[in-house]
Amino acid sequence: MRPKEANVAESMRKMGSLDVVEVKSSGRGPCIVLFHGYGADCYDLTPLCRELKAPKGSSWYFPNGPIQVPIGPGFMGRAWFHIDMAALEQAMRMGKHRDLSKIQPSGLDKSKLAAHEFLTTLGREPGDIIIGGFSQGAMLATEIALSSTTNYRGLVILSGSVI
């Protein structure tokens, strides 16, 4: 594990309507926002800020999905939009995959709006913000980037697809 950067503080904050883990640097590097995958939470991707090489002074933000979902008996996780599990299971039984590019998942618009509100609370120019995520979070980040007139500094897609 890489050593932590000096003058870095980690905290949980409410930013817009979302709870967000913020790993803030005292420098003026870019803001890096990573959205977690289905069933995880805002803490799932936080180790990446210590493992990935980012410009000095980068601040990292890890929002929590607004939807609570069951992930096992007695355990709950978070999500950005609902997944039609019956359709997913049927496609798997048939040996096919679901083409999500023609589907508007329930809850996506609400999460996209919450993410846009959160991004404006950063108080930074879009050219200073890198957005991305893992799996469902990557799908959300891609949807934000493709549907926005804003040009973000970058888009990081980890195991995602187009919705």
Side-chain angles (χ1 to χ4, degrees), residues 39-149:
D41 66 17
C42 56
Y43 294 100
D44 188 54
L45 300 176
T46 59
L48 292 177
C49 69
R50 291 184 298 278
E51 299 298 326
L52 298 177
K53 187 175 181 179
K56 188 172 182 172
S58 295
S59 294
W60 297 73
Y61 298 87
F62 304 91
N64 215 15
I67 302 170
Q68 198 170 36
V69 294
I71 56 172
F75 294 97
M76 300 298 282
R78 308 300 293 190
W80 297 103
F81 52 86
H82 296 282
I83 293 177
D84 183 344
M85 290 299 189
L88 179 63
E89 289 171 2
Q90 181 181 8
M92 289 170 55
R93 278 194 304 274
M94 296 172 66
K96 298 180 178 181
H97 75 283
R98 293 191 65 217
D99 180 3
L100 300 176
S101 67
K102 296 174 178 60
I103 297 172
Q104 177 71 21
S106 170
L108 175 62
D109 285 338
K110 186 176 178 181
S111 287
K112 196 164 77 168
L113 178 61
H116 276 294
E117 289 173 352
F118 153 69
L119 290 167
T120 62
T121 68
L122 295 174
R124 301 287 291 272
E125 293 297 319
D128 289 336
I129 302 172
I130 298 166
I131 61 172
F134 174 75
S135 191
Q136 191 181 69
M139 292 180 215
L140 175 64
T142 301
E143 178 68 17
I144 290 168
L146 294 178
S147 66
S148 176
T149 58

Side-chain angles (χ1 to χ4, degrees), residues 15-44:
M15 299 179 79
S17 63
L18 299 176
D19 292 323
V20 179
V21 173
E22 176 184 45
V23 182
K24 193 150 177 76
S25 172
S26 61
R28 189 65 176 165
C31 294
I32 302 168
V33 176
L34 295 178
F35 300 98
H36 63 77
Y38 185 88
D41 66 17
C42 56
Y43 294 100
D44 188 54

